[in-house]
Amino acid sequence: MRSVRKTVLLAILASVVLVLALLHSWPTRASTAVDVWQRPGPIDERHLEERLPEPDRRFGNIPFHVRDNVASLLARNGCVCEGDSGGVNLPFVQLLFPRVSAHPLHAAFQAPELQEMKRRREKEYRSFQERTQTPADLLLIAEANNPLQYPTYLMGPLLKPRFVPTVPQINLTATLGTLNVAAEVDRVKIKGDGAMRMTLSSILLPNLNRQLQFVTYTNTLFHPSTADTVQFETEGHQASFSIKIRHGVTPKLYNTGSKGEYNVSALVTIATKTFLRYDKLQDLINSVRRYYPTVTIVIADDSETPQTISGPYIEHYIMPFGKGWFAGRNLAVSQVTTKYVLWVDDDFVFTANTKLEKLVDVLERTTLDLVGGAVREATGYTATYRQTISIESGEADGDCLHMRRGFHHAIQGFPNCVVTDGVINFFLARTEKVQQVGFDPRLARVAHLEFFIDGLGSLHVGSCDDVIVNHATKVRLPWVSQSESDKTYAKFRYPPASSDATHTKNGLLFFKNRFQCLTHN
Ligand SMILES: *[C@@H]1O[C@H](CO)[C@@H](O)[C@H](O)[C@H]1NC(C)=O
Ligand SMILES: *[C@@H]1O[C@H](CO)[C@@H](O)[C@H](O)[C@H]1NC(C)=O
């Protein structure tokens, strides 16, 4: 009896432990779907507009005189390209008196095509703008304690004046440019115009405020992207604001060739790196062709005795022997001319579940730069290998790198997708972004997440588990003998943990990325 009770007790205990373990491993964070367009909503924008100061009607009556030499320099929307006209066309004249010439660029397209090109360019440009603008680009007005709107009279104990009105004076100080005024307002004294420090003073406060509306800034110390912090001082108060100085970002737009549905051949290039495994590569190419007969496949190959791989829409780049894994990725990606690049390993096989249109749709309709799919092993196990990566600052010893399986949150409108920091070797990405981050060619053998570590802070990464590619069997069955090429491949690709490859990898994390240590699960 007693032993029965003991057994029951043990069983209860065991099930409690099991339930607790289950609860522990259950995702604790209820994941909410987030709209990943990062632009501010209309409410935020309206809210900001309401805070802009009302134009003061009194200002309309304050007389001012425009300074043509300054006003004419102000930026205007609506540019034209004009060349120098006239002049004689003689040899050497261009050398002695260089003339400006102007070139219209729309001439690259014929009239019937031009309208369609303009339409496509506009569409790509709009989505580029939506992706690149951040809430930090919005004008924010700091509601200050408004030093200039001081009370014109004071309430307080009689005979104890606390406030001595002086001539209101404003000092403006810049460090990378000069200050000037586009118009002079009556009864305002301007000192230091055209210099880095300008003083405005007037006994009439409205005039001083009006004058402030005409202050201009000209950058003199050129840097393509920087900011000048301008000091704004008045009696007893100080404020500062930054002036962003930069060239606009030049867009790099791709003609996606589509009117309605996504045209994968025009949008995507498949990139892969091969080393010795030509049989596997051929299986990959055959499987791709079954679903995407005209998509371009770029192959980087660093085999010792390269074989010919030919066929339509195939570009085969032969590299020096054993250049390595990331060097090959870099080469392949550098040759891509479509908007997106799909990375695959050479031993993957496309199936009916490898729907690239779905991945294209995610990148077209979100701000993500890269989206991973899922890889199915021969055993049936499917992996997405989602990783979150975070960096904790350390002192002189360097920072700490933490990698954990998981993701940040789901994506609204895409129930199978999440936002994360790193994904599996099967991903679709904006070509330009991948080229910017690059694959460090020093990582020759074992490397993958290093790319995502380098891209942290610039790549917006997602992962979807409903686009699946198959992995040609990796688990070697003992009764199947390995081919010669597989054996050589394994020697290069999977070196032991104590090898030079691991040292190189850790050395780069230590020196290049300035980490002192790494944790992962
Ligand atoms: C402005 O600058 C001048 C000269 O540097 C200084 O004498 C004056 O006190 C400053 N005024 C304010 C309001 O800071
Ligand atoms: C898709 O794009 C390819 C490559 O740009 C092009 O040759 C083909 O005509 C396009 N197909 C459609 C249906 O637009």
PDB file of all heavy atoms in Angstrom, residues 164-181:
ATOM      1  N   VAL A 164      15.143  94.846 -14.460  1.00  0.00           N
ATOM      2  CA  VAL A 164      15.611  96.047 -15.149  1.00  0.00           C
ATOM      3  C   VAL A 164      15.563  95.761 -16.640  1.00  0.00           C
ATOM      4  O   VAL A 164      16.356  94.982 -17.140  1.00  0.00           O
ATOM      5  CB  VAL A 164      17.053  96.392 -14.733  1.00  0.00           C
ATOM      6  CG1 VAL A 164      17.478  97.710 -15.353  1.00  0.00           C
ATOM      7  CG2 VAL A 164      17.170  96.413 -13.223  1.00  0.00           C
ATOM      8  N   PRO A 165      14.580  96.347 -17.354  1.00  0.00           N
ATOM      9  CA  PRO A 165      14.535  96.061 -18.787  1.00  0.00           C
ATOM     10  C   PRO A 165      15.770  96.630 -19.475  1.00  0.00           C
ATOM     11  O   PRO A 165      16.147  97.771 -19.247  1.00  0.00           O
ATOM     12  CB  PRO A 165      13.271  96.763 -19.265  1.00  0.00           C
ATOM     13  CG  PRO A 165      12.544  97.167 -18.031  1.00  0.00           C
ATOM     14  CD  PRO A 165      13.565  97.291 -16.942  1.00  0.00           C
ATOM     15  N   THR A 166      16.444  95.809 -20.247  1.00  0.00           N
ATOM     16  CA  THR A 166      17.580  96.271 -21.026  1.00  0.00           C
ATOM     17  C   THR A 166      17.202  96.126 -22.478  1.00  0.00           C
ATOM     18  O   THR A 166      16.123  95.653 -22.782  1.00  0.00           O
ATOM     19  CB  THR A 166      18.817  95.414 -20.750  1.00  0.00           C
ATOM     20  OG1 THR A 166      18.470  94.069 -21.035  1.00  0.00           O
ATOM     21  CG2 THR A 166      19.281  95.550 -19.318  1.00  0.00           C
ATOM     22  N   VAL A 167      18.090  96.523 -23.344  1.00  0.00           N
ATOM     23  CA  VAL A 167      17.810  96.332 -24.770  1.00  0.00           C
ATOM     24  C   VAL A 167      17.874  94.833 -25.032  1.00  0.00           C
ATOM     25  O   VAL A 167      18.898  94.213 -24.787  1.00  0.00           O
ATOM     26  CB  VAL A 167      18.866  97.052 -25.635  1.00  0.00           C
ATOM     27  CG1 VAL A 167      18.603  96.807 -27.106  1.00  0.00           C
ATOM     28  CG2 VAL A 167      18.865  98.518 -25.300  1.00  0.00           C
ATOM     29  N   PRO A 168      16.764  94.222 -25.451  1.00  0.00           N
ATOM     30  CA  PRO A 168      16.825  92.791 -25.717  1.00  0.00           C
ATOM     31  C   PRO A 168      17.889  92.506 -26.779  1.00  0.00           C
ATOM     32  O   PRO A 168      17.943  93.167 -27.803  1.00  0.00           O
ATOM     33  CB  PRO A 168      15.430  92.440 -26.228  1.00  0.00           C
ATOM     34  CG  PRO A 168      14.558  93.553 -25.790  1.00  0.00           C
ATOM     35  CD  PRO A 168      15.444  94.764 -25.722  1.00  0.00           C
ATOM     36  N   GLN A 169      18.720  91.561 -26.433  1.00  0.00           N
ATOM     37  CA  GLN A 169      19.844  91.245 -27.311  1.00  0.00           C
ATOM     38  C   GLN A 169      19.892  89.746 -27.515  1.00  0.00           C
ATOM     39  O   GLN A 169      19.622  88.975 -26.594  1.00  0.00           O
ATOM     40  CB  GLN A 169      21.133  91.717 -26.632  1.00  0.00           C
ATOM     41  CG  GLN A 169      22.313  91.737 -27.568  1.00  0.00           C
ATOM     42  CD  GLN A 169      23.586  92.102 -26.824  1.00  0.00           C
ATOM     43  OE1 GLN A 169      23.890  91.528 -25.782  1.00  0.00           O
ATOM     44  NE2 GLN A 169      24.311  93.065 -27.359  1.00  0.00           N
ATOM     45  N   ILE A 170      20.226  89.345 -28.710  1.00  0.00           N
ATOM     46  CA  ILE A 170      20.349  87.920 -29.003  1.00  0.00           C
ATOM     47  C   ILE A 170      21.706  87.681 -29.621  1.00  0.00           C
ATOM     48  O   ILE A 170      22.101  88.392 -30.543  1.00  0.00           O
ATOM     49  CB  ILE A 170      19.261  87.454 -29.998  1.00  0.00           C
ATOM     50  CG1 ILE A 170      17.885  87.602 -29.369  1.00  0.00           C
ATOM     51  CG2 ILE A 170      19.498  86.022 -30.431  1.00  0.00           C
ATOM     52  CD1 ILE A 170      16.786  87.487 -30.369  1.00  0.00           C
ATOM     53  N   ASN A 171      22.406  86.681 -29.108  1.00  0.00           N
ATOM     54  CA  ASN A 171      23.651  86.253 -29.749  1.00  0.00           C
ATOM     55  C   ASN A 171      23.430  84.903 -30.396  1.00  0.00           C
ATOM     56  O   ASN A 171      22.901  83.996 -29.769  1.00  0.00           O
ATOM     57  CB  ASN A 171      24.770  86.103 -28.711  1.00  0.00           C
ATOM     58  CG  ASN A 171      25.348  87.441 -28.308  1.00  0.00           C
ATOM     59  OD1 ASN A 171      25.184  88.431 -29.015  1.00  0.00           O
ATOM     60  ND2 ASN A 171      26.015  87.459 -27.172  1.00  0.00           N
ATOM     61  N   LEU A 172      23.815  84.775 -31.635  1.00  0.00           N
ATOM     62  CA  LEU A 172      23.753  83.491 -32.324  1.00  0.00           C
ATOM     63  C   LEU A 172      25.182  83.099 -32.659  1.00  0.00           C
ATOM     64  O   LEU A 172      25.925  83.894 -33.226  1.00  0.00           O
ATOM     65  CB  LEU A 172      22.942  83.616 -33.617  1.00  0.00           C
ATOM     66  CG  LEU A 172      21.421  83.696 -33.472  1.00  0.00           C
ATOM     67  CD1 LEU A 172      20.811  84.154 -34.782  1.00  0.00           C
ATOM     68  CD2 LEU A 172      20.850  82.353 -33.064  1.00  0.00           C
ATOM     69  N   THR A 173      25.565  81.871 -32.291  1.00  0.00           N
ATOM     70  CA  THR A 173      26.933  81.446 -32.560  1.00  0.00           C
ATOM     71  C   THR A 173      26.938  80.105 -33.261  1.00  0.00           C
ATOM     72  O   THR A 173      26.379  79.129 -32.751  1.00  0.00           O
ATOM     73  CB  THR A 173      27.727  81.324 -31.243  1.00  0.00           C
ATOM     74  OG1 THR A 173      27.455  82.470 -30.449  1.00  0.00           O
ATOM     75  CG2 THR A 173      29.215  81.216 -31.508  1.00  0.00           C
ATOM     76  N   ALA A 174      27.561  80.063 -34.428  1.00  0.00           N
ATOM     77  CA  ALA A 174      27.704  78.807 -35.169  1.00  0.00           C
ATOM     78  C   ALA A 174      29.175  78.420 -35.165  1.00  0.00           C
ATOM     79  O   ALA A 174      30.038  79.235 -34.806  1.00  0.00           O
ATOM     80  CB  ALA A 174      27.205  78.978 -36.595  1.00  0.00           C
ATOM     81  N   THR A 175      29.488  77.174 -35.542  1.00  0.00           N
ATOM     82  CA  THR A 175      30.902  76.780 -35.558  1.00  0.00           C
ATOM     83  C   THR A 175      31.373  76.263 -36.913  1.00  0.00           C
ATOM     84  O   THR A 175      32.562  76.214 -37.173  1.00  0.00           O
ATOM     85  CB  THR A 175      31.185  75.684 -34.505  1.00  0.00           C
ATOM     86  OG1 THR A 175      30.272  74.616 -34.725  1.00  0.00           O
ATOM     87  CG2 THR A 175      31.031  76.210 -33.098  1.00  0.00           C
ATOM     88  N   LEU A 176      30.451  75.850 -37.778  1.00  0.00           N
ATOM     89  CA  LEU A 176      30.866  75.313 -39.076  1.00  0.00           C
ATOM     90  C   LEU A 176      30.372  76.168 -40.239  1.00  0.00           C
ATOM     91  O   LEU A 176      30.428  75.750 -41.393  1.00  0.00           O
ATOM     92  CB  LEU A 176      30.331  73.885 -39.268  1.00  0.00           C
ATOM     93  CG  LEU A 176      30.697  72.842 -38.218  1.00  0.00           C
ATOM     94  CD1 LEU A 176      30.003  71.532 -38.508  1.00  0.00           C
ATOM     95  CD2 LEU A 176      32.202  72.637 -38.199  1.00  0.00           C
ATOM     96  N   GLY A 177      29.854  77.363 -39.926  1.00  0.00           N
ATOM     97  CA  GLY A 177      29.319  78.180 -41.005  1.00  0.00           C
ATOM     98  C   GLY A 177      29.092  79.599 -40.531  1.00  0.00           C
ATOM     99  O   GLY A 177      29.387  79.946 -39.384  1.00  0.00           O
ATOM    100  N   THR A 178      28.561  80.409 -41.430  1.00  0.00           N
ATOM    101  CA  THR A 178      28.363  81.821 -41.096  1.00  0.00           C
ATOM    102  C   THR A 178      26.889  82.158 -41.057  1.00  0.00           C
ATOM    103  O   THR A 178      26.066  81.513 -41.700  1.00  0.00           O
ATOM    104  CB  THR A 178      29.047  82.725 -42.139  1.00  0.00           C
ATOM    105  OG1 THR A 178      28.559  82.359 -43.422  1.00  0.00           O
ATOM    106  CG2 THR A 178      30.550  82.567 -42.107  1.00  0.00           C
ATOM    107  N   LEU A 179      26.575  83.216 -40.293  1.00  0.00           N
ATOM    108  CA  LEU A 179      25.191  83.651 -40.141  1.00  0.00           C
ATOM    109  C   LEU A 179      25.002  84.966 -40.885  1.00  0.00           C
ATOM    110  O   LEU A 179      25.921  85.773 -40.975  1.00  0.00           O
ATOM    111  CB  LEU A 179      24.891  83.843 -38.648  1.00  0.00           C
ATOM    112  CG  LEU A 179      25.042  82.560 -37.838  1.00  0.00           C
ATOM    113  CD1 LEU A 179      25.296  82.860 -36.382  1.00  0.00           C
ATOM    114  CD2 LEU A 179      23.798  81.700 -38.005  1.00  0.00           C
ATOM    115  N   ASN A 180      23.812  85.137 -41.423  1.00  0.00           N
ATOM    116  CA  ASN A 180      23.532  86.370 -42.127  1.00  0.00           C
ATOM    117  C   ASN A 180      22.030  86.622 -42.063  1.00  0.00           C
ATOM    118  O   ASN A 180      21.303  85.829 -41.471  1.00  0.00           O
ATOM    119  CB  ASN A 180      24.013  86.265 -43.578  1.00  0.00           C
ATOM    120  CG  ASN A 180      24.523  87.604 -44.083  1.00  0.00           C
ATOM    121  OD1 ASN A 180      23.956  88.647 -43.757  1.00  0.00           O
ATOM    122  ND2 ASN A 180      25.590  87.573 -44.856  1.00  0.00           N
ATOM    123  N   VAL A 181      21.594  87.690 -42.664  1.00  0.00           N
ATOM    124  CA  VAL A 181      20.155  87.932 -42.719  1.00  0.00           C
ATOM    125  C   VAL A 181      19.754  88.195 -44.167  1.00  0.00           C
ATOM    126  O   VAL A 181      20.486  88.847 -44.915  1.00  0.00           O
ATOM    127  CB  VAL A 181      19.722  89.140 -41.832  1.00  0.00           C
ATOM    128  CG1 VAL A 181      19.906  88.813 -40.363  1.00  0.00           C
ATOM    129  CG2 VAL A 181      20.477  90.392 -42.215  1.00  0.00           C
TER     130      VAL A 181
END
